[in-house]
Amino acid sequence: MADTTNRPSGMTRRDVFRASAGAAAVLGAAGLPVLATATPALADRGQAGHGHGRGLRVEPLVPDRNRGIILYSVRDRITAAPDDSGVPYGFERVLARLAEIGYREIEFAGYTQHTSLLGRQITPREIRRILDDNGLVANGTHTQINPDTFTQQMDIAEELGMRNIGTGSDPTNSSYRTDWDAAADTWNELGRRARARGLRLYTHNHDAAYNFLLDAGPTDADGRPTRSSGTRRLEYFFDKTDPRYVFFEMDVFWAYVARFKHHTYTDRHGRARTDLFDPILTVAPRTTRFPLFHAKDGNKNPAVPNGHDMVPLGEGDINFQQFFQTIGEQDFHHANWEQDNAPGGTAVPGQSLDFAARSYTSMSELTIYRR
C-alpha cells in the first residue's frame, strides 16, 4: 500500500475557481445558483477552432477500477432468504449481479447472510472466494472499531483482501474537545496497528460530525463549555490525529446535510455567528486523507429535517462533477455508491439492485476533459 500523508495546500476559494469550472465552482461552493458546470478544457475547445475535440481526451472522474458500492445499499437482498421473486439474494448471487452491472469494488456492512442458503453462516473465506470469482475487490468495511476486538476485525479484513478498515460511526458523539482528544489518542494507536498490517483506518461521517464543538465561553454546572469557537468536531479531529494512521470517508450527502443544518453557533461572547460548511473545501486541502467517499445523492427539500431527500446517484441536486473534479487525485479516490433507503421491501424486491444499476451509470458518466 502506498504511503499517503496529509498534504496541506492552503486551498482558497480562488484556487477552487481555477481548479474546477471557473466561477460556477465558486458559486456552487458558496451555495449560490449554478446554471451549468463546464470543464476548463471544454471552454478551451472553442478557442482551438480546429476540428471536433481536437487535442482533447476524455477521462473518467472516477476510474472504473475505483467504482464501488457499500452493501448496506442492497442489504435487503444480501440478507434475503431464497424466494421466487427472480431477484438475486445472498452474497453469491448479489455480488455476481453487482459485478455484471460494472462495479469493481465492495465496501462491506456486515458479513452475514440468511443461514438457509448454506445451512449455516457464510465465512469470510467463502466471501473472499466469491469476490475473486467475480473480479471484485473489497475496499473497506463499516464495522465496530473497538480496541478489544480490533485484531479480530483486521484478521477478517485481511482474509477479504481489504485495503481499508473503518466504521460508519463517529469516533465519539460528544460535543466536547476533551472527548475528541481521547478519541484521537485511541485512533492514533489503532491506526498505527492497522498500518503495520498494510491497512488504513478510517471513519465515516454523518451530519453531526460537522457540527460545532462546545469549547468556549461560560461553563455549565458540570464545568463543561456552553459556547463555541466555531471549530467543527471532525475538523478538529483532523488535526489531532496522525495523517499517517487515521483516514476519512466523506459521505457527500451527509456533508451537504451538515451544510443545511449546522451553519450557526454562539461564540464565547454570546453572539450568534454564521459559518457555512463547505464539503469541497474541507476535503481539498487534505485530499489524500480521504481514500473513500460515499457517492450518495439527494434533492434539496427544506421541508424535511435534513433538507434533502435521498435519491439514486445522478438524480439529485448534488454536483458530483464539480466535487470530484475540484478535489483532484482521481486515481487515489474510491467512490462507493450508497442510498440508505434503496431497499424496496417485499413490495418492490428488485428496487435496490435497480437503483444500483442506475447509480453506476451515473457514476461512469462523470468525466473530465484533458489536453
Coordinates of all heavy atoms in Angstrom, one line a residue, residues 16-67:
V16 N -10.1 27.2 -5.9 CA -11.3 26.4 -6.4 C -11.8 27.0 -7.7 O -12.1 26.3 -8.6 CB -12.4 26.4 -5.4 CG1 -13.6 25.7 -5.9 CG2 -12.0 25.6 -4.1
F17 N -11.8 28.3 -7.8 CA -12.2 29.0 -9.0 C -11.3 28.5 -10.2 O -11.8 28.2 -11.3 CB -12.0 30.5 -8.8 CG -12.4 31.3 -10.0 CD1 -13.6 31.8 -10.2 CD2 -11.4 31.6 -11.0 CE1 -14.0 32.6 -11.3 CE2 -11.7 32.4 -12.1 CZ -13.0 32.9 -12.3
R18 N -10.0 28.3 -9.9 CA -9.1 27.9 -11.0 C -9.2 26.4 -11.3 O -9.1 25.9 -12.4 CB -7.7 28.2 -10.7 CG -7.4 29.7 -10.6 CD -6.1 30.0 -10.0 NE -5.7 31.4 -10.0 CZ -4.8 32.0 -9.3 NH1 -4.0 31.2 -8.5 NH2 -4.6 33.3 -9.4
A19 N -9.5 25.6 -10.2 CA -9.3 24.2 -10.3 C -10.5 23.5 -11.0 O -10.4 22.5 -11.6 CB -9.1 23.5 -9.0
S20 N -11.7 24.1 -10.9 CA -12.9 23.4 -11.4 C -13.4 24.1 -12.6 O -12.8 24.2 -13.6 CB -13.9 23.1 -10.3 OG -14.3 24.3 -9.7
A21 N -14.6 24.6 -12.4 CA -15.3 25.2 -13.6 C -15.4 26.7 -13.5 O -16.5 27.2 -13.6 CB -16.6 24.5 -13.8
G22 N -14.3 27.4 -13.2 CA -14.4 28.8 -13.1 C -15.4 29.3 -12.1 O -15.5 28.7 -11.0
A23 N -16.1 30.3 -12.4 CA -17.0 30.9 -11.4 C -18.1 29.9 -11.0 O -18.5 30.0 -9.8 CB -17.7 32.1 -12.0
A24 N -18.5 29.0 -11.8 CA -19.5 28.0 -11.4 C -19.1 27.3 -10.1 O -20.0 27.0 -9.3 CB -19.8 27.1 -12.5
A25 N -17.8 26.9 -10.0 CA -17.4 26.1 -8.9 C -17.5 27.0 -7.6 O -17.9 26.5 -6.5 CB -16.0 25.6 -9.0
V26 N -17.1 28.2 -7.7 CA -17.1 29.1 -6.5 C -18.5 29.4 -6.1 O -18.9 29.3 -4.9 CB -16.4 30.4 -6.8 CG1 -16.4 31.3 -5.6 CG2 -14.9 30.1 -7.1
L27 N -19.4 29.6 -7.1 CA -20.8 29.9 -6.8 C -21.4 28.7 -6.1 O -22.2 28.8 -5.2 CB -21.6 30.3 -8.1 CG -21.2 31.6 -8.7 CD1 -21.9 31.8 -10.0 CD2 -21.6 32.8 -7.7
G28 N -21.1 27.5 -6.7 CA -21.7 26.3 -6.1 C -21.2 26.1 -4.7 O -22.0 25.7 -3.8
A29 N -19.9 26.3 -4.5 CA -19.4 26.1 -3.1 C -19.9 27.0 -2.1 O -20.0 26.8 -0.9 CB -17.8 26.2 -3.2
A30 N -20.4 28.2 -2.6 CA -20.9 29.2 -1.7 C -22.5 29.1 -1.6 O -23.1 29.9 -0.9 CB -20.6 30.6 -2.3
G31 N -23.0 28.1 -2.2 CA -24.5 27.8 -2.1 C -25.3 28.7 -3.0 O -26.5 28.8 -2.8
L32 N -24.7 29.3 -4.0 CA -25.4 30.2 -4.9 C -25.8 29.4 -6.2 O -25.2 28.4 -6.5 CB -24.5 31.4 -5.3 CG -24.1 32.3 -4.1 CD1 -23.1 33.3 -4.5 CD2 -25.3 32.9 -3.4
P33 N -26.8 29.9 -6.9 CA -27.2 29.2 -8.1 C -26.2 29.0 -9.1 O -25.4 29.9 -9.4 CB -28.4 30.1 -8.6 CG -28.8 30.9 -7.4 CD -27.5 31.1 -6.6
V34 N -26.1 27.8 -9.7 CA -25.2 27.5 -10.7 C -26.0 26.9 -11.9 O -26.7 25.8 -11.7 CB -24.1 26.5 -10.3 CG1 -23.2 26.1 -11.5 CG2 -23.3 27.0 -9.1
L35 N -26.1 27.5 -13.0 CA -26.9 27.1 -14.1 C -26.3 25.9 -14.8 O -26.9 25.0 -15.3 CB -27.2 28.2 -15.1 CG -27.9 29.4 -14.5 CD1 -28.1 30.5 -15.6 CD2 -29.3 28.9 -13.9
A36 N -24.9 25.9 -15.0 CA -24.3 24.8 -15.7 C -22.8 24.8 -15.2 O -22.3 25.8 -14.8 CB -24.3 25.1 -17.2
T37 N -22.2 23.6 -15.3 CA -20.8 23.5 -15.0 C -20.1 22.8 -16.1 O -20.4 21.7 -16.5 CB -20.7 22.6 -13.7 OG1 -21.3 23.2 -12.6 CG2 -19.2 22.4 -13.3
A38 N -19.1 23.6 -16.7 CA -18.3 23.0 -17.8 C -16.9 23.0 -17.3 O -16.5 23.7 -16.5 CB -18.4 23.9 -19.0
T39 N -16.1 22.0 -17.9 CA -14.7 22.0 -17.5 C -13.9 23.0 -18.3 O -14.3 23.5 -19.3 CB -14.2 20.6 -17.9 OG1 -14.2 20.5 -19.3 CG2 -15.0 19.5 -17.3
P40 N -12.7 23.4 -17.7 CA -11.9 24.4 -18.5 C -11.6 23.9 -19.8 O -11.5 24.7 -20.8 CB -10.7 24.5 -17.6 CG -11.2 24.2 -16.2 CD -12.2 23.1 -16.4
A41 N -11.3 22.6 -20.0 CA -11.0 22.1 -21.3 C -12.1 22.3 -22.3 O -11.8 22.6 -23.5 CB -10.6 20.6 -21.2
L42 N -13.3 22.1 -21.9 CA -14.4 22.3 -22.8 C -14.5 23.8 -23.2 O -14.8 24.1 -24.3 CB -15.7 21.9 -22.1 CG -16.1 20.4 -22.2 CD1 -17.3 20.2 -21.4 CD2 -16.2 19.9 -23.6
A43 N -14.2 24.7 -22.2 CA -14.2 26.1 -22.6 C -13.1 26.4 -23.6 O -13.2 27.3 -24.4 CB -14.0 26.9 -21.3
D44 N -12.0 25.6 -23.5 CA -10.9 25.9 -24.5 C -11.2 25.3 -25.9 O -10.6 25.7 -26.8 CB -9.6 25.2 -24.0 CG -9.0 25.8 -22.8 OD1 -9.4 27.0 -22.5 OD2 -8.2 25.2 -22.1
R45 N -12.2 24.5 -25.9 CA -12.4 23.8 -27.2 C -12.8 24.9 -28.3 O -12.3 24.8 -29.4 CB -13.6 22.8 -27.1 CG -14.0 22.2 -28.4 CD -15.2 21.2 -28.3 NE -14.8 20.0 -27.6 CZ -15.7 19.1 -27.3 NH1 -16.9 19.2 -27.7 NH2 -15.3 18.0 -26.7
G46 N -13.6 25.8 -27.9 CA -13.9 26.9 -28.9 C -12.7 27.7 -29.4 O -12.7 28.1 -30.5
Q47 N -11.8 27.8 -28.5 CA -10.6 28.6 -28.8 C -9.7 27.9 -29.8 O -9.0 28.4 -30.6 CB -9.8 29.0 -27.5 CG -10.6 29.9 -26.6 CD -9.9 30.1 -25.3 OE1 -8.7 29.8 -25.2 NE2 -10.6 30.6 -24.3
A48 N -9.7 26.5 -29.6 CA -8.8 25.8 -30.5 C -9.3 25.9 -32.0 O -8.5 26.1 -32.9 CB -8.8 24.3 -30.1
G49 N -10.5 25.7 -32.2 CA -11.1 26.0 -33.5 C -10.7 25.1 -34.6 O -10.8 25.5 -35.8
H50 N -10.1 24.0 -34.3 CA -9.6 23.1 -35.4 C -10.1 21.7 -35.2 O -9.5 20.8 -34.6 CB -8.1 23.0 -35.4 CG -7.4 24.4 -35.6 ND1 -7.5 25.0 -36.9 CD2 -6.8 25.2 -34.8 CE1 -6.9 26.2 -36.8 NE2 -6.5 26.3 -35.6
G51 N -11.4 21.4 -35.6 CA -11.9 20.1 -35.6 C -12.6 19.7 -34.2 O -12.3 20.3 -33.2
H52 N -13.4 18.7 -34.3 CA -14.2 18.3 -33.2 C -13.4 17.6 -32.1 O -12.8 16.6 -32.4 CB -15.3 17.4 -33.7 CG -16.2 16.9 -32.5 ND1 -17.1 17.7 -31.9 CD2 -16.3 15.7 -32.0 CE1 -17.7 17.0 -31.0 NE2 -17.2 15.7 -31.0
G53 N -13.2 18.2 -31.0 CA -12.5 17.6 -29.9 C -11.0 17.5 -30.1 O -10.3 16.7 -29.4
R54 N -10.5 18.2 -31.1 CA -9.1 18.0 -31.4 C -8.2 18.4 -30.3 O -8.3 19.5 -29.7 CB -8.7 18.9 -32.7 CG -7.3 18.6 -33.2 CD -7.2 19.4 -34.5 NE -5.9 19.1 -35.2 CZ -5.5 19.5 -36.3 NH1 -6.3 20.4 -37.0 NH2 -4.4 19.2 -36.8
G55 N -7.2 17.6 -29.9 CA -6.3 17.8 -28.8 C -6.9 17.5 -27.5 O -6.2 17.8 -26.4
L56 N -8.1 17.0 -27.4 CA -8.7 16.7 -26.1 C -8.9 15.2 -26.0 O -9.0 14.5 -26.9 CB -10.1 17.4 -26.0 CG -10.2 18.9 -26.0 CD1 -11.6 19.3 -26.0 CD2 -9.4 19.4 -24.8
R57 N -8.9 14.8 -24.7 CA -9.2 13.4 -24.4 C -10.2 13.4 -23.2 O -10.1 14.3 -22.4 CB -8.0 12.5 -24.1 CG -7.2 12.9 -22.8 CD -6.0 12.1 -22.7 NE -5.4 12.3 -21.4 CZ -4.5 13.3 -21.1 NH1 -4.2 14.2 -22.1 NH2 -4.0 13.4 -19.9
V58 N -11.0 12.4 -23.2 CA -12.0 12.2 -22.1 C -11.4 11.2 -21.1 O -11.0 10.1 -21.5 CB -13.3 11.8 -22.6 CG1 -14.3 11.6 -21.5 CG2 -13.9 12.8 -23.6
E59 N -11.4 11.6 -19.8 CA -11.1 10.7 -18.8 C -12.2 10.6 -17.7 O -12.8 11.6 -17.5 CB -9.8 11.1 -18.1 CG -8.5 11.1 -19.0 CD -7.3 11.6 -18.3 OE1 -7.4 11.9 -17.1 OE2 -6.2 11.6 -18.9
P60 N -12.4 9.4 -17.1 CA -13.4 9.3 -16.1 C -12.9 10.1 -14.8 O -11.8 10.0 -14.4 CB -13.5 7.8 -15.9 CG -12.2 7.3 -16.3 CD -11.7 8.1 -17.4
L61 N -13.9 10.7 -14.2 CA -13.5 11.3 -12.9 C -13.4 10.3 -11.8 O -12.6 10.4 -10.9 CB -14.6 12.3 -12.5 CG -14.5 13.8 -12.9 CD1 -15.7 14.6 -12.4 CD2 -13.2 14.4 -12.4
V62 N -14.1 9.2 -11.9 CA -13.9 8.0 -11.1 C -13.5 6.9 -11.9 O -14.3 6.3 -12.7 CB -15.2 7.7 -10.3 CG1 -15.0 6.5 -9.4 CG2 -15.7 8.9 -9.5
P63 N -12.2 6.5 -12.0 CA -11.8 5.4 -12.8 C -12.6 4.1 -12.5 O -13.1 3.9 -11.4 CB -10.3 5.2 -12.4 CG -9.9 6.5 -11.8 CD -11.1 7.1 -11.2
D64 N -12.8 3.3 -13.6 CA -13.7 2.2 -13.4 C -13.3 1.2 -12.3 O -14.1 0.7 -11.6 CB -13.9 1.4 -14.8 CG -12.6 1.0 -15.4 OD1 -11.5 1.2 -14.8 OD2 -12.7 0.4 -16.5
R65 N -12.0 1.1 -12.1 CA -11.5 0.2 -11.1 C -11.8 0.7 -9.7 O -11.7 0.0 -8.7 CB -10.0 0.0 -11.3 CG -9.2 1.3 -11.1 CD -7.7 1.1 -11.3 NE -6.9 2.3 -11.2 CZ -6.8 3.3 -12.1 NH1 -7.5 3.1 -13.3 NH2 -6.1 4.4 -11.9
N66 N -12.1 2.0 -9.6 CA -12.4 2.7 -8.3 C -13.9 2.9 -8.0 O -14.2 3.6 -7.1 CB -11.7 4.0 -8.2 CG -10.2 3.9 -8.1 OD1 -9.6 2.8 -8.2 ND2 -9.5 5.0 -8.1
R67 N -14.7 2.3 -8.8 CA -16.2 2.5 -8.6 C -16.7 1.3 -7.8 O -16.6 0.2 -8.1 CB -16.9 2.5 -10.0 CG -16.5 3.6 -10.9 CD -17.1 3.5 -12.2 NE -16.4 4.4 -13.2 CZ -16.3 4.3 -14.5 NH1 -17.0 3.3 -15.0 NH2 -15.7 5.1 -15.2

